[in-house]
Amino acid sequence: MIVVTATLIFLLLIFAPIYLSADIRLYLKSLSASVGVKVGAVQVFCENISLVGDTLQCKGTVSTDVSLSSIDRQSGVDLLRCITVEKLVLSVCDNFYSFSAARLVSEEAILALATVTACNLFHCQIFCEHVGTYCDSCLRLRTLINLSVAELSFCLLKQGVRKWKTRKSEK
């Protein structure tokens, strides 16, 4: 009976979803972004990314410089498949000092069209809002994501086997 209980607890931990909340702020004027990821109330990732020439400068949890030409665009495709987006909130934060009525109306129309298109394509809760701020203007994206340990492990294992095969074929 103890073995069965331990097995059931192990299977529950493997297949139970992990909920992540991500907060992404894009500053278009300075070509930078701020990314924060939390599991519950614990922040697990906080990064400030800025584009300087052909490199991304990352400061925060992972401090490094990444060249845009060295990024493998096919490496993260399998990982994106194991992520399920539950909720998406897009906020357009405009500075009060550069506020105009024409800009407000055009942004509201674009947000309405984007929301309708996204709701027709994806099966998740999608919200859009227009917010006034005294800070720099930015786009803020808040998401609630879930993934399971089993799916993530399988995707990482598949990706590792694929890289191992390519390295083996190069020799």
Side-chain angles (χ1 to χ4, degrees):
M1 193 58 137
I2 295 173
V3 173
V4 173
T5 305
T7 305
L8 288 176
I9 290 173
F10 178 72
L11 288 174
L12 175 70
L13 291 176
I14 286 181
F15 292 108
I18 298 172
Y19 287 95
L20 304 170
S21 61
D23 185 14
I24 304 166
R25 294 180 187 200
L26 301 171
Y27 299 99
L28 300 177
K29 189 177 275 187
S30 62
L31 293 176
S32 62
S34 173
V35 179
V37 178
K38 291 182 178 181
V39 176
V42 178
Q43 185 147 5
V44 293
F45 184 76
C46 182
E47 196 73 32
N48 292 319
I49 304 167
S50 59
L51 179 66
V52 178
D54 191 27
T55 61
L56 292 173
Q57 292 182 344
C58 304
K59 296 175 184 162
T61 306
V62 180
S63 296
T64 187
D65 292 340
V66 178
S67 175
L68 290 177
S69 59
S70 68
I71 296 175
D72 183 16
R73 288 171 173 54
Q74 296 298 321
S75 65
V77 173
D78 291 334
L79 292 176
L80 288 176
R81 290 183 185 151
C82 70
I83 293 173
T84 304
V85 177
E86 297 284 328
K87 184 178 178 180
L88 184 88
V89 179
L90 176 67
S91 303
V92 177
C93 304
D94 273 331
N95 191 337
F96 278 122
Y97 300 120
S98 64
F99 213 66
S100 69
R103 184 175 169 183
L104 175 68
V105 171
S106 63
E107 285 177 353
E108 287 293 331
I110 291 170
L111 282 176
L113 289 172
T115 304
V116 168
T117 305
C119 284
N120 288 332
L121 292 175
F122 305 111
H123 300 288
C124 67
Q125 298 176 5
I126 300 174
F127 304 99
C128 291
E129 62 185 358
H130 196 260
V131 179
T133 182
Y134 290 109
C135 301
D136 292 336
S137 296
C138 67
L139 290 173
R140 184 175 183 189
L141 182 68
R142 292 170 296 193
T143 62
L144 180 64
I145 301 167
N146 76 15
L147 55 97
S148 71
V149 176
E151 281 182 308
L152 185 63
S153 300
F154 180 71
C155 287
L156 290 173
L157 181 68
K158 191 165 82 172
Q159 191 174 12
V161 167
R162 188 179 303 135
K163 284 187 179 185
W164 177 73
K165 283 183 180 180
T166 58
R167 286 184 186 156
K168 187 176 177 183
S169 66
E170 289 175 356
K171 291 180 181 181

